[in-house]
């Protein structure tokens, strides 16, 4: 019997393999054991091998295996989580949608992924891998109108006793999208109190205060985020700058050491202000 608690470690192991040849070393262990956890273990191996070798047939075999395990173990989040992760991957690769295990006719890969991810979290909201996947995608997609399944999933994340700061950040963005700026600021305060990424949260606060017309406080929040810059915050500030910055200047920003970003940005904005004047 394969220890189900070891699936996360196994998944991390195969995910860090960077070539199909290197992955063959895991083949024997992937086919070891019987039962639901062993099937999921093998599916993890198959999905990773398919990613490295561009083998759609292998993806289908993994989806069939996971769908069967999910049907017989409805209260276990692993199958739905892995099906969702596979469909998100197929969407990112722009793979054409075909009717296969785990997808309903007429669904896109993304729609099927969110449906399975929602079921995984509804089944077990303490299942950290599913929550992490959901929040990684929701945060990366920025300001936009949430779909119904995304909103339902976010509601599950927010109902937890101690919701992740990123869940509060996404909720704040949703409030801002619907012009509920005061509620957005409350969510951002809660995210800071929950030890969220201060750099990213201050940029979100700056955007919200700007929408409220509070230019002074917006500027203060913006520069406080720069002062507490993190890798996540730097990527968000970069995305913000990409709207107004020429590609060559953006490439220059990418080469700046973290401890020099603040000075560079002050010079950049001072020059823009001077040109605007």
């Amino acid at each position: 019997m394969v220890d189900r608690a070891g699936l996360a470690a196994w998944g991390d192991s195969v995910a860090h393999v960077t070539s199909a040849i290197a992955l063959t070393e895991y083949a024997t262990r992937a086919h070891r054991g019987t039962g639901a956890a062993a099937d999921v273990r093998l599916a993890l191996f198959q999905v990773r091998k398919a990613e490295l070798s561009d083998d759609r047939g292998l993806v289908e075999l993994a989806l069939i295996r996971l769908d069967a395990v999910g049907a017989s173990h409805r209260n276990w989040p692993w199958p739905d989580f892995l099906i969702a992760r596979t469909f998100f991957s197929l969407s990112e690769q722009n793979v054409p949608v075909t009717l296969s295990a785990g997808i309903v006719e007429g669904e896109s890969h993304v729609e099927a992924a969110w449906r399975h991810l929602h079921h995984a979290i509804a089944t077990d909201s303490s299942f950290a891998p599913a929550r992490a996947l959901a929040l990684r995608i929701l945060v990366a997609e920025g300001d936009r109108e949430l779909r119904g399944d995304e909103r339902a999933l976010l509601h599950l994340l927010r109902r937890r006793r101690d919701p992740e700061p990123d869940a509060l950040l996404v909720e704040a963005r949703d409030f801002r999208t619907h012009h509920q700026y005061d509620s957005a600021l409350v969510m951002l305060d809660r995210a800071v109190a929950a030890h969220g990424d201060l750099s990213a949260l201050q940029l979100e606060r700056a955007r919200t205060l700007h929408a409220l017309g509070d230019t002074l406080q917006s500027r203060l929040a913006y520069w406080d985020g720069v002062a507490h810059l993190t890798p996540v915050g730097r990527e968000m500030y970069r995305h913000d700058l990409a709207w107004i910055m020429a590609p060559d200047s953006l490439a220059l920003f990418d080469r700046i050491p973290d401890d020099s970003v603040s000075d560079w940005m002050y010079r950049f904005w001072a020059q823009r202000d001077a040109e605007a004047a």
Side-chain angles (χ1 to χ4, degrees), residues 74-94:
R74 296 301 296 165
N75 294 321
W76 192 35
W78 268 101
D80 278 300
F81 160 64
L82 291 175
I83 290 173
R85 198 175 75 176
T86 301
F87 282 141
F88 278 129
S89 179
L90 292 175
S91 175
E92 290 169 1
Q93 299 170 46
N94 294 315

Side-chain angles (χ1 to χ4, degrees), residues 117-249:
L117 195 54
H118 179 267
H119 187 267
I121 293 174
T123 298
D124 183 0
S125 65
S126 68
F127 186 58
R131 299 200 316 271
L133 176 62
L135 289 172
R136 177 176 65 80
I137 294 171
L138 287 171
V139 171
E141 290 186 338
D143 287 76
R144 61 188 179 81
E145 184 74 34
L146 294 176
R147 298 149 43 95
D149 45 13
E150 294 168 331
R151 191 178 300 282
L153 192 151
L154 180 61
H155 179 66
L156 290 176
L157 296 175
R158 283 274 290 105
R159 278 173 46 194
R160 288 173 49 79
R161 179 175 298 177
D162 297 307
E164 284 95 336
D166 279 347
L168 301 171
L169 183 155
V170 174
E171 183 86 347
R173 284 176 174 171
D174 192 47
F175 279 129
R176 189 169 66 220
T177 298
H178 293 90
H179 310 296
Q180 297 174 339
Y181 303 120
D182 290 338
S183 296
L185 291 172
V186 169
M187 285 296 109
L188 292 173
D189 286 340
R190 288 190 58 190
V192 171
H195 308 293
D197 188 299
L198 186 59
S199 179
L201 291 170
Q202 287 296 75
L203 177 57
E204 294 292 346
R205 185 185 306 279
R207 290 168 172 165
T208 307
L209 290 167
H210 181 75
L212 274 169
D214 192 339
T215 306
L216 175 60
Q217 292 302 317
S218 176
R219 281 177 172 267
L220 292 174
Y222 183 92
W223 290 112
D224 188 55
V226 174
H228 293 88
L229 200 65
T230 63
V232 172
R234 177 166 179 155
E235 184 60 30
M236 290 181 63
Y237 274 89
R238 183 190 190 281
H239 180 77
D240 206 53
L241 291 169
W243 290 97
I244 59 172
M245 191 177 286
D248 55 342
S249 296

Side-chain angles (χ1 to χ4, degrees), residues 1-11 29 32-42 44 76 78:
M1 177 67 180
V2 177
D3 179 10
R4 295 183 179 187
L7 286 172
W10 169 257
R29 281 178 286 169
R32 187 181 299 162
T34 58
D39 282 337
V40 170
R41 184 186 181 99
L42 178 55
L44 276 163
W76 192 35
W78 268 101

